[in-house]
Amino acid sequence: MTTAKSLDALIEKRSLAKLGGGQAKIDKIHDKGRHTARERIEMLLDEGSFEEFDMFKVHRCTNFGMEKKKFMGDGIVTGSGTIQGRLVYVHAGDFTVFGGSLSETMSEKICKVMDMAVKSGAPVIGLNDSGGARIQEGIESLSGYTNIFYRNVRASGVIPQLSGIFGPCAGGAVYSPALTDFTVMVRDSSYMFLTGPKVVKSVTHEDVDVETLGGASVHTTKSGVAHLAADDGEQGIKYLQDLFSYMPQNNMEKPPVKETDDPSDRVNSALDTLIPDNPNMAYDIKDVIYEVVDDQEFLEIQPDYAGNIVIGFARFGGQSVGIIANQPKVLAGVLDNDSSIKAARFVRCCDCFNIPLVTFVDVPGFMPGTVQEYGGIIRNGAKLMFAYAEATVPKITITTRKSYGGAHCVMSAKQLDGDLNYAWPTAEIAVMGGKGAIEILNARDVKGKEPEEAKAIMAKAEAEYNEAFANPYVAAGRGYVDDVIAPSETRLRIVRGLRALQDKHVSALPKKHGNIPL
Ligand code: HXC
């Protein structure tokens, strides 16, 4: 029989467990302007929805006198809850217990929620704050990490997995986030690295601080490891909620539909005059995106990394889409190594979670030169080609201006099983730009000519080339473009297209998996 005494004992144990490593450690976290694991979970989930598991679980380590240092729950808080009424599983590193370093029992707690998430077809969100492998546990900790990594990989493409980095994320702690779909970091208070500054110094003699080694700005501008940098913990949580809102519960479902009052047939008059007369002048592709999507809501992902391609989530008629767009404002929208990889991963993420792809094309080609070739532009461009060709979700493509050469083929071309390929009247779909083409075709015509005469011959040839090829009608005349549309009707055509394609089904050829050129 439950007695008042036993209930009191339970209440007491629970409140002790909730203190993790103790009030002094909690105070220290607050002094740094950061949140505890429980506070983060509270911010993330719908009020009162958190169901905690394994609150009383303790580590089993006896090395280094550890048997005398036990804290209920160990260094992780785990359980389930809801976000906007949708089920989600969570694990949040508790820095108050041995700096959130991973023990064998913590791994068991994380694996338990990951297994439950897969069984019930619900996403997992990890809120990371950890010093890496718990040094006292040695190999048990490494084994614990590997058990988590294995589950990250097994669950990849089955349930959405999101990671927030809210403090240190060192050593083994980095690989689980790296295996998930999206990673959000917090500026100035989170960092990710395999080896900390001291080890760096001893191995390479390099002096570096944590921020320069693996801060949010490094990983969202240079390495591409993280996808969004938040200004503080609250914004970090908000980014995770936003990402979650665009994704389905699992790969067998479609993303939730968000009601909108934004009319499907809203005319985008501003777009009719957006493209400059001079084809070498830039414009901002984000002006197009914000103009056509529902309610001007666009969650740009990796905004500060490889800015020559823009990726992110938006909705049309309430339905989630992934947007991929060349950005003429940065490097003229050229495709290079980083932008190819950035877009390829996003295309695959959308495809595995049934999120249609809307692609805006204005691309002068692939970036030439040794830097790109040595960096593997052939292999990396092939990644993007592979990702688009492999994607079976609805694919709608709008060519706003340039679509040249190999980059034309890569950017969701009709021949990669593009469903609806539209072009604005300003589109130039050809094997290369006029200037480059006539330099090859007309070199013989100007040999030995005076410079003025040569210039005139070239200018005439370029004008003829542009007239004949720098337009959408050659491609439309062959059916490679389904229609040439007025920019002002872009939103309507996309919404209609998505509706028409909502039951699209493609049977894949039987195979274990493809061999994407990693
Ligand atoms: C055990 C750890 C720990 C760890 C921190 N602590 N990291 N305990 N194992 N890995 C403990 C500290 O001893 C301290 O305990 C408490 O957590 C808080 O740590 P502080 O150092 O006081 O905090 P702070 O100054 O904020 O520094 C945080 C930190 C630093 C940057 C994370 O602790 C650190 O550098 N830790 C080691 C990071 C690291 O090299 N990890 C890699 C491990 S090897 P007390 O009792 O004093 O409060 C690894 C390889 C796995 O992960 C590979 C798998 C694939």
Side-chain angles (χ1 to χ4, degrees):
M1 202 176 80
T2 314
T3 61
K5 200 171 154 201
S6 62
L7 272 182
D8 285 347
L10 172 65
I11 292 166
E12 199 185 321
K13 261 185 181 298
R14 277 198 193 284
S15 30
L16 194 61
K18 283 183 181 171
L19 286 179
Q23 190 59 48
K25 292 247 159 78
I26 294 176
D27 293 344
K28 217 168 149 186
I29 287 179
H30 286 158
D31 289 347
K32 287 184 184 166
R34 292 168 41 189
H35 299 98
T36 63
R38 284 172 194 285
E39 287 162 352
R40 288 177 189 138
I41 290 176
E42 208 168 292
M43 287 191 282
L44 179 72
L45 300 180
D46 294 339
E47 202 179 335
S49 70
F50 184 47
E51 290 282 340
E52 187 169 346
F53 311 135
D54 294 331
M55 189 186 219
F56 305 118
K57 190 155 182 163
V58 287
H59 73 72
R60 296 185 282 265
C61 180
T62 53
N63 303 329
F64 302 98
M66 284 290 277
E67 65 280 4
K68 295 190 206 86
K69 299 180 197 162
K70 293 197 178 186
F71 302 94
M72 279 185 286
D74 210 350
I76 194 102
V77 182
T78 59
S80 68
T82 58
I83 298 175
Q84 298 261 307
R86 296 169 57 204
L87 180 66
V88 62
Y89 286 82
V90 288
H91 53 88
D94 183 353
F95 194 78
T96 66
V97 179
F98 302 111
S101 57
L102 190 98
S103 66
E104 180 193 24
T105 49
M106 281 167 67
S107 163
E108 289 167 358
K109 286 182 68 171
I110 295 173
C111 290
K112 185 190 270 189
V113 286
M114 291 178 80
D115 290 343
M116 290 175 84
V118 169
K119 279 191 251 178
S120 51
V124 174
I125 300 182
L127 309 174
N128 298 270
D129 194 350
S130 167
R134 187 168 296 169
I135 295 161
Q136 297 90 329
E137 295 211 8
I139 187 73
E140 299 303 345
S141 178
L142 295 191
S143 158
Y145 265 130
T146 319
N147 281 325
I148 297 169
F149 303 154
Y150 177 69
R151 280 167 177 76
N152 283 132
V153 175
R154 293 257 301 168
S156 181
V158 178
I159 49 168
Q161 302 179 77
L162 305 179
S163 301
I165 315 295
F166 291 91
C169 188
V174 298
Y175 274 116
S176 178
L179 293 166
T180 62
D181 298 304
F182 295 108
T183 297
V184 174
M185 292 185 75
V186 180
R187 283 185 223 279
D188 304 323
S189 66
S190 76
Y191 39 92
M192 297 176 82
F193 41 68
L194 272 176
T195 46
K198 282 187 193 141
V199 178
V200 173
K201 173 85 181 159
S202 68
V203 177
T204 68
H205 308 293
E206 189 185 357
D207 271 313
V208 66
D209 58 53
V210 289
E211 192 60 32
T212 317
L213 186 61
S217 65
V218 169
H219 288 310
T220 54
T221 62
K222 289 187 197 317
S223 73
V225 163
H227 299 88
L228 289 163
D231 290 333
D232 51 32
E234 282 89 350
Q235 195 184 36
I237 294 287
K238 175 80 173 53
Y239 278 150
L240 291 168
Q241 291 168 330
D242 288 348
L243 287 165
F244 179 83
S245 76
Y246 287 100
M247 304 184 81
Q249 289 297 93
N250 56 64
N251 64 332
M252 305 303 281
E253 294 185 14
K254 289 188 174 177
V257 172
K258 186 180 173 192
E259 292 300 317
T260 177
D261 294 329
D262 198 349
S264 310
D265 59 356
R266 180 167 50 78
V267 176
N268 314 121
S269 312
L271 301 186
D272 280 340
T273 50
L274 182 80
I275 304 290
D277 289 336
N278 179 348
N280 297 323
M281 260 180 73
Y283 63 97
D284 190 345
I285 197 67
K286 287 190 226 171
D287 288 344
V288 178
I289 297 170
Y290 280 105
E291 169 61 31
V292 297
V293 299
D294 285 359
D295 305 303
Q296 296 195 310
E297 279 178 17
F298 175 54
L299 177 60
E300 187 176 356
I301 294 165
Q302 294 187 302
D304 302 316
Y305 177 75
N308 38 335
I309 205 147
V310 174
I311 58 169
F313 289 122
R315 295 184 183 84
F316 283 95
Q319 180 177 340
S320 284
V321 299
I323 291 183
I324 302 96
N326 308 115
Q327 172 58 288
K329 251 180 73 169
V330 180
L331 298 172
V334 74
L335 277 177
D336 57 7
N337 285 307
D338 289 346
S339 57
S340 299
I341 296 170
K342 170 180 168 180
R345 179 156 166 78
F346 184 63
V347 167
R348 297 191 97 218
C349 178
C350 291
D351 185 49
C352 67
F353 291 118
N354 309 317
I355 301 171
L357 300 169
V358 175
T359 303
F360 293 96
V361 181
D362 187 346
V363 63
F366 277 103
M367 179 80 112
T370 51
V371 172
Q372 294 300 314
E373 294 289 356
Y374 295 177
I377 188 68
I378 298 172
R379 186 166 38 87
N380 294 323
K383 287 185 180 124
L384 185 52
M385 182 96 76
F386 200 110
Y388 267 122
E390 182 186 48
T392 55
V393 288
K395 293 182 274 193
I396 299 181
T397 304
I398 315 281
T399 302
T400 57
R401 193 168 60 174
K402 296 169 192 170
S403 183
Y404 285 136
H408 162 77
C409 308
V410 167
M411 290 301 297
S412 200
K414 191 77 191 160
Q415 295 84 345
L416 296 181
D417 204 19
D419 293 303
L420 290 170
N421 290 61
Y422 295 133
W424 287 3
T426 41
E428 305 166 20
I429 304 172
V431 75
M432 63 170 67
K435 198 167 174 350
I438 55 120
E439 269 167 21
I440 297 167
L441 295 177
N442 301 79
R444 215 187 283 266
D445 303 342
V446 294
K447 221 171 178 181
K449 297 270 188 320
E450 290 301 316
E452 279 310 304
E453 192 186 354
K455 211 170 145 192
I457 292 171
M458 289 306 235
K460 185 165 173 278
E462 190 177 342
E464 282 168 7
Y465 178 94
N466 285 340
E467 176 70 22
F469 298 108
N471 63 62
Y473 297 104
V474 181
R478 306 245 184 324
Y480 305 149
V481 158
D482 295 296
D483 198 5
V484 180
I485 64 168
S488 56
E489 58 178 352
T490 302
R491 173 174 165 81
L492 172 66
R493 301 297 288 261
I494 294 173
V495 174
R496 275 194 197 154
L498 289 169
R499 278 191 198 138
L501 291 163
Q502 64 186 354
D503 295 322
K504 178 187 173 187
H505 179 74
V506 177
S507 299
L509 294 174
K511 60 177 154 182
K512 190 170 175 195
H513 58 70
N515 190 9
I516 189 164
L518 291 174

